[in-house]
Each structure stands twice: as structure tokens, then as C-alpha cells.
Amino acid sequence: VTETRRAAPGGEESGARGGVVVGVYLDGAEHGWSLERDGFKKMQAAAEKGKFDALMLWKFDRLARDFEQSVIVKAFLRHEYKLKLHCVEGVSQDDDDSFYGAMIEQMLAVQAALFSRNLSSDTKRAKKQRAIRGEFNGSIAPIGYLLVTAKDATPDVPAGLYIVLRVAVIVRRAFRMYATADFSDQQIADWMNLQPVIQELRRGKQPINKEMVRDMLQNRVYTGRVPHAETIYNG
């Protein structure tokens, strides 16, 4: 999301529209269904202070994924903050303030919403099949595991998760420490960071922190369950 003066779309067209880019807000890899995104909240805070008068997005579905949500958010930004909304790919009613522009904007929004729902359905169906087969639905292996992808798999080493025993010993001990109720997440993190095998594993990365320990302790992979969306498949 780029905030501009005088509705500049950025790039070569900025001069043509007389706009100046005064800020950029990013929501990379964040869920489009939520409005509690850091970039969105920063943009809204700046809009409340009147720091810009136009907003440029790559596509309107980057602003909000759901159609009804998108309509409400765009109406709020336009009426509450008096913003002009534009997108690099697509059509906006603010491009020429015409009925045609408003109609095309809404048609594209419906199309994007239908595509998103269809993609979500296809993704869940694929994950369900992987889960039924006992396969791991993720791209990053939990600590203590090695993930062999389909690309790297061989007849002797099929794709899947494999336990790294020397790291798994540390993970098991962390669970036992937690089970005693005598150690906080931070104390468990501090203990793990003192282990040479963890130091080797985390070389060049940030040390294990309490948030990582909390995520680890709640990861269902360690209890032998394969998660898929809101459903857990056993066996």
C-alpha cells in the first residue's frame, strides 16, 4: 500500500497525475482476511492525521480479501478519510469518478473473491489428502525434525519428516521441563540455547526465545497428530 499526494499511482504515471509518494506500507506474508495487519494499522493511523489524500494498491484484494469486507473498508477509507483509492492492476471508481469505473471495480472485486474462495477450497482439499496419507503439511520442519521434500526425495528416503535424534533429545527434555511446572518458557529457552547442538543448529540465526518455545510446546506434530485446517487426522 502506497500513500500519495494527489492520487499518484506511482512509477511513470506519477508525474502525469501530479502525485508524490510520501509513504509505503507493506503487509507481506500476512493474512488478507485480518485487518490487524501492521501495515494496514500504520496506514490507517497516518490517514487519521491527514498525511495523504490518495492510496495506491497493487490490487484491491490486497486491501481486504473478502468481498463484503472489501466494500466496507473501501467505503470507510473514502468517506471517513476522504481518500482516493487506486490500484496498479484493475480499475477504480476514483480513476475518473464515472459510473462505469464504479461498476467495473465492483465486478473485479466479486471475481477476486470467487477466485480466493476457490483457491482456498482447492488448498484445503489437497492438505486433507496429504494429512490422510500421514504427510506433513508445512514447508518448515519443527525443531528436532528434518524435512525431505518431494523434490529431494529418493527411493531410499521418501518425502516426509525424519527425527534428528541428537536434537530430539533436547526437545524431549524441554517438554519434561515444561511438564514439571517449575520452568517458564524463557527459562526453557535459556537452557536450550546453552546446548551445543542447539548453538550449532541456530548458528547465524537468532537464539531460541520464549515465543519459539511456546510455539514448540503447542505444536501438534510432536504429539503424533497431523493438523489440517481445523481438523486433526489420526493414524
Side-chain angles (χ1 to χ4, degrees), residues 92-113:
S92 167
Q93 68 181 48
D94 294 325
D95 290 341
D96 54 10
D97 293 320
S98 69
F99 172 78
Y100 173 79
M103 180 180 67
I104 297 299
E105 177 184 319
Q106 297 306 317
M107 290 176 60
L108 291 175
V110 171
Q111 183 181 40

Side-chain angles (χ1 to χ4, degrees), residues 97-158:
D97 293 320
S98 69
F99 172 78
Y100 173 79
M103 180 180 67
I104 297 299
E105 177 184 319
Q106 297 306 317
M107 290 176 60
L108 291 175
V110 171
Q111 183 181 40
L114 291 175
F115 173 79
S116 176
R117 292 189 179 185
N118 184 63
L119 180 62
S120 175
S121 177
D122 289 345
T123 300
K124 285 186 177 182
R125 184 165 56 250
K127 285 188 173 183
K128 178 179 179 180
Q129 293 304 314
R130 288 177 57 84
I132 289 173
R133 295 194 299 268
E135 298 175 4
F136 177 60
N137 269 315
S139 57
I140 300 176
I143 184 171
Y145 286 95
L146 172 67
L147 175 61
V148 176
T149 64
K151 177 182 177 182
D152 299 324
T154 66
D156 295 330
V157 184

Side-chain angles (χ1 to χ4, degrees), residues 7-214:
E12 296 178 357
E13 297 183 23
S14 301
R17 293 208 179 207
V20 177
V21 176
V22 296
V24 176
Y25 300 101
L26 302 176
D27 279 325
E30 293 195 46
H31 208 301
W33 292 96
S34 172
L35 297 182
E36 294 301 313
R37 310 189 304 265
D38 289 340
F40 184 89
K41 290 192 292 186
K42 290 178 181 177
M43 177 275 294
Q44 186 177 1
E48 288 179 350
K49 297 177 182 178
K51 290 188 175 182
F52 55 94
D53 53 24
L55 205 58
M56 169 60 64
L57 304 102
W58 182 255
K59 293 182 179 180
F60 276 132
D61 61 0
R62 301 297 90 187
L63 183 63
R65 190 65 57 85
D66 181 74
F67 174 70
E68 291 83 2
Q69 185 187 55
S70 176
V71 171
I72 293 172
V73 170
K74 287 189 291 186
F76 178 78
L77 294 176
R78 282 169 169 147
H79 295 288
E80 182 71 15
Y81 303 135
K82 310 303 180 185
L83 296 177
K84 295 288 186 179
L85 306 181
H86 302 276
C87 57
V88 176
E89 289 191 359
V91 176
S92 167
Q93 68 181 48
D94 294 325
D95 290 341
D96 54 10
D97 293 320
S98 69
F99 172 78
Y100 173 79
M103 180 180 67
I104 297 299
E105 177 184 319
Q106 297 306 317
M107 290 176 60
L108 291 175
V110 171
Q111 183 181 40
L114 291 175
F115 173 79
S116 176
R117 292 189 179 185
N118 184 63
L119 180 62
S120 175
S121 177
D122 289 345
T123 300
K124 285 186 177 182
R125 184 165 56 250
K127 285 188 173 183
K128 178 179 179 180
Q129 293 304 314
R130 288 177 57 84
I132 289 173
R133 295 194 299 268
E135 298 175 4
F136 177 60
N137 269 315
S139 57
I140 300 176
I143 184 171
Y145 286 95
L146 172 67
L147 175 61
V148 176
T149 64
K151 177 182 177 182
D152 299 324
T154 66
D156 295 330
V157 184
L161 286 176
Y162 292 85
I163 295 174
V164 181
L165 291 177
R166 63 195 189 105
V167 183
V169 170
I170 306 297
V171 175
R172 289 194 196 103
R173 177 66 182 275
F175 270 86
R176 292 192 185 101
M177 293 172 68
Y178 173 76
T180 66
D182 293 330
F183 300 90
S184 67
D185 293 340
Q186 185 61 59
Q187 288 174 317
I188 296 175
D190 293 340
W191 174 82
M192 293 182 70
N193 287 322
L194 292 176
Q195 309 311 307
V197 65
I198 296 298
Q199 293 174 0
E200 178 184 346
L201 186 68
R202 303 297 299 175
R203 184 176 294 124
K205 304 176 183 178
Q206 67 171 351
I208 292 175
N209 55 39
K210 63 181 181 181
E211 285 77 18
M212 294 171 65
V213 167
R214 190 172 299 118

